[in-house]
Amino acid sequence: MGVSVVTPTYREADNIRPLAERILATMEAAGADWELILADDDSRDGSEEVALELGRSLPVRIHVRRTRPRDLSQSVLDGIRLARFDRLVVMDADLSHPPEQIPELLAALDGNAGMALGSRYAPGGRIDGAWSRYRTLNSRIATWLTRPLTRCADPMSGFFAVDRRSLPALDELAPVGFKIGLELMVRGGLRVREVPIRFDERHGGSSKLTWRQQLAFLRHLHRLYTFRFGLPVRALSFGAVGLSGLLVDTGFYLGLQWAGVGHLLARFLSFWPAVTWNWRLNRVLTFNDRPADRPVPQWAKFAVASGVGLLTNVGSYAVLTSFVAPFSERRLFALFAGVVIGSAVNFATSTRYVYRRRRKVG
Ligand code: GDD
Ligand code: MN
């Protein structure tokens, strides 16, 4: 039974040969078939040449992805699509992940786990080399943020084994950034078995973990939370966007009056920037798992939904204060109730008609 090793690479030319040689030695000792697929993001640093050269004598291939922006996870998915074997190992190119532990991961996978995860934080795992306090803290916080999604100790790890046959359809995955392992375990609902690893300092080259990647990680987390907890996360997100929109609304309302516009006209005008703001934020946050519709018609539908929400809001206020005794005494409660009811209507309409689901294919 062979194994396809998929390695995301970006500017790792110097590390490719030692990586391939250490995998070769390990797999020869284990007597197993293997291949190494370099999932490259158009490094242009000589990686392709090194890979082609190695490919003459070893089962090494490079797949170059030319779609921008670069994305580690998407590269890995490409690599998985190309793999010859069903058993897959994903690992970094910079030799942080010891190839010598591949057989251990595969053995753990065979004991009916969905994923065998190379773990720095499982008992027996370790990190060699001096990590700055910042890097340690960063890693801890990131791990802590995944707690509601998975209970494993090192969900940030990029070193793991999976069997392709137990993966969900690759087209249904929606990772962004570095955490393809987290994506697979959460969306694929995989049972994770952790194998303690020795995580080395990278050999040569430089880390690609930038603040951009950290932002991508937050976006990725948001997607996974929406996937796992659906409605409540969406409702919270919609509510938070609504609150921020209220600030925009108020800002324009006051600003326009300051510029000499009368208060009624200011009230009417400030609605539009606020609606636009909310539409846009809901598109990139609340409904980021929905396909991107054409902007203008979607904006118009959202404006209608918000208008209906506003009418329900004010309407509820009128009904409550006129006909429901406790509220006629406490009008401020009626105002809040109106906001909640109006927002709920807007949320329901938006979910159903504005940010529409992907159409089922086939
Ligand atoms: N295809 C592709 N595209 N590969 C990339 C990209 C990219 O945009 N960015 C980085 N890589 C490759 C690197 O060449 C390396 O092989 C691997 O992905 C990890 O990148 P590093 O730059 O070494 O990042 P790191 O050491 O901070 O991240 C590692 O540790 C994390 C846990 O602390 C990775 O193992 C992560 O997967 C892991 O989560
Ligand atoms: Mn690294």
Side-chain angles (χ1 to χ4, degrees):
M1 263 211 302
V3 56
S4 296
V5 178
V6 176
T7 294
T9 54
Y10 186 67
R11 305 214 169 134
E12 302 285 0
D14 294 342
N15 287 325
I16 293 175
R17 179 176 289 277
L19 175 72
E21 283 168 356
R22 280 171 64 179
I23 297 176
L24 169 69
T26 306
M27 298 320 284
E28 266 186 353
D33 271 343
W34 63 284
E35 65 170 344
L36 171 61
I37 300 176
L38 300 163
D40 191 75
D41 244 324
D42 207 7
S43 298
R44 298 169 190 265
D45 67 338
S47 294
E48 286 181 60
E49 290 72 13
V50 178
L52 292 176
E53 168 67 32
L54 280 171
R56 294 212 193 105
S57 52
L58 295 177
V60 175
R61 283 188 281 163
I62 186 163
H63 165 74
V64 182
R65 180 174 174 271
R66 300 194 202 273
T67 323
R68 291 302 83 154
R70 286 193 282 118
D71 193 274
L72 187 158
S73 292
Q74 295 300 337
S75 300
V76 169
L77 291 179
D78 282 357
I80 292 179
R81 290 189 178 95
L82 293 174
R84 283 173 55 203
F85 301 109
D86 282 328
R87 292 195 310 167
L88 307 160
V89 165
V90 175
M91 69 189 297
D92 290 353
D94 60 0
L95 303 167
S96 282
H97 300 146
E100 294 71 27
Q101 292 196 275
I102 291 176
E104 266 177 83
L105 283 186
L106 292 176
L109 188 64
D110 289 340
N112 95 67
M115 171 185 281
L117 183 72
S119 174
R120 296 163 295 173
Y121 301 135
R126 51 188 267 221
I127 298 178
D128 282 350
W131 270 33
S132 69
R133 203 175 291 174
Y134 169 75
R135 191 172 174 194
T136 309
L137 185 69
N138 205 30
S139 177
R140 291 288 173 180
I141 292 177
T143 304
W144 180 78
L145 286 173
T146 63
R147 266 303 73 102
L149 298 169
T150 167
R151 280 159 59 205
C152 79
D154 192 6
M156 300 291 113
S157 174
F159 187 24
F160 56 86
V162 285
D163 190 308
R164 182 162 41 190
R165 289 163 298 189
S166 57
L167 295 184
L170 299 185
D171 294 334
E172 279 162 26
L173 300 173
V176 259
F178 274 30
K179 304 306 166 193
I180 180 65
L182 181 67
E183 173 79 9
L184 291 175
M185 71 176 83
V186 173
R187 229 181 264 265
L190 301 180
R191 270 228 329 217
V192 178
R193 192 137 152 219
E194 293 187 65
V195 176
I197 59 157
R198 192 192 72 240
F199 185 93
D200 272 336
E201 204 50 77
R202 87 166 12 255
H203 294 211
S206 59
S207 171
K208 283 86 194 177
L209 189 71
T210 54
W211 63 269
R212 224 198 164 84
Q213 282 309 322
Q214 321 248 14
L215 272 184
F217 175 61
L218 292 182
R219 274 174 54 215
H220 190 197
L221 269 186
H222 186 270
R223 284 185 191 185
L224 290 176
Y225 273 82
T226 314
F227 168 78
R228 172 63 64 82
F229 303 108
L231 195 65
V233 169
R234 244 196 247 291
L236 263 179
S237 178
F238 194 83
V241 168
L243 277 180
S244 75
L246 186 62
L247 292 180
V248 174
D249 204 346
T250 317
F252 273 88
Y253 170 71
L254 295 174
L256 285 167
Q257 289 182 77
W258 177 82
V261 176
H263 80 100
L264 274 179
L265 183 58
R267 181 68 206 89
F268 172 75
L269 290 177
S270 67
F271 175 77
W272 301 99
V275 157
T276 307
W277 170 271
N278 286 4
W279 160 72
R280 182 75 208 166
L281 272 190
N282 279 321
R283 183 174 159 117
V284 299
L285 288 176
T286 314
F287 298 101
N288 68 357
D289 56 333
R290 302 270 170 104
D293 237 336
R294 296 214 320 281
V296 176
Q298 192 185 49
W299 174 86
K301 279 191 275 178
F302 184 74
V304 172
S306 302
V308 173
L310 187 63
L311 286 180
T312 331
N313 175 347
V314 178
S316 313
Y317 174 85
V319 170
L320 288 174
T321 48
S322 316
F323 302 113
V324 185
F327 285 105
S328 52
E329 313 280 280
R330 298 183 182 78
R331 297 212 184 106
L332 209 51
F333 286 156
L335 183 132
F336 291 138
V339 169
V340 170
I341 296 168
S343 305
V345 167
N346 188 356
F347 177 61
T349 322
S350 295
T351 307
R352 184 89 179 77
Y353 299 108
V354 180
Y355 301 93
R356 274 181 309 185
R357 263 170 220 292
R358 204 169 310 230
R359 236 178 287 139
K360 275 259 159 51
V361 245

